[in-house]
């Protein structure tokens, strides 16, 4: 009887470990270790002229000013968050004064 109990426990453990390993294989690929921490926010190196997205913006005023500057704009003034969640400002680029905006994804665009 003790042999039967030991055999039953051994079989249950073997099946349990195999099932756990199978579940791990189905979990999908590992995360890219080189990916940004929050892919919802663009890298400062990848600020495009894409259409700006409306939504809750979590950039602080200082961060918004910095991202606009990194996108190639200077003399950023009148920086304010509008009702659509876009940071709006006046800035200069190539000697021209333009209206510029930053969305919650990190996109910067002249308007």
């Amino acid at each position: 009887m003790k042999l039967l109990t030991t055999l039953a426990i051994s079989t249950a453990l073997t099946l349990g470990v195999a099932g756990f390993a199978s579940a791990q294989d189905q979990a999908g690929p590992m995360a890219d270790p080189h990916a940004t921490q929050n892919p919802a926010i663009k890298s400062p190196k990848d600020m495009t002229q894409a259409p700006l997205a409306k939504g809750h913006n979590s950039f602080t005023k200082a961060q918004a000013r910095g991202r606009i500057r990194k996108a190639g704009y200077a003399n950023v003034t009148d920086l304010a968050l509008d009702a659509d969640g876009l940071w709006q400002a006046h800035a200069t680029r190539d000697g021209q004064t333009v209206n510029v905006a930053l969305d919650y994804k990190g996109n910067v665009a002249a308007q």
Side-chain angles (χ1 to χ4, degrees):
M1 187 66 158
K2 187 173 184 177
L3 178 63
L4 185 59
T5 303
T6 304
L7 183 60
I9 292 172
S10 177
T11 302
L13 286 174
T14 301
L15 291 175
V17 170
F20 179 74
S22 175
Q24 293 299 314
D25 289 342
Q26 295 171 2
M30 295 289 289
D32 181 0
H34 302 293
T36 59
Q37 292 297 317
N38 186 352
I41 299 175
K42 298 255 184 188
S43 163
K45 298 175 189 172
D46 188 31
M47 290 184 266
T48 65
Q49 293 293 326
L52 299 178
K54 297 177 183 178
H56 177 74
N57 198 315
S58 61
F59 289 110
T60 65
K61 191 171 191 173
Q63 290 170 330
R65 185 179 310 278
R67 289 186 73 85
I68 291 169
R69 286 181 179 158
K70 285 180 183 178
Y73 296 90
N75 304 318
V76 180
T77 60
D78 302 323
L79 183 60
L81 189 61
D82 71 10
D84 292 328
L86 300 173
W87 281 103
Q88 301 278 349
H90 295 100
T92 57
R93 186 173 193 174
D94 300 326
Q96 300 291 320
T97 299
V98 295
N99 293 325
V100 67
L102 167 74
D103 70 6
Y104 74 94
K105 293 181 180 181
N107 290 315
V108 176
Q111 297 181 323

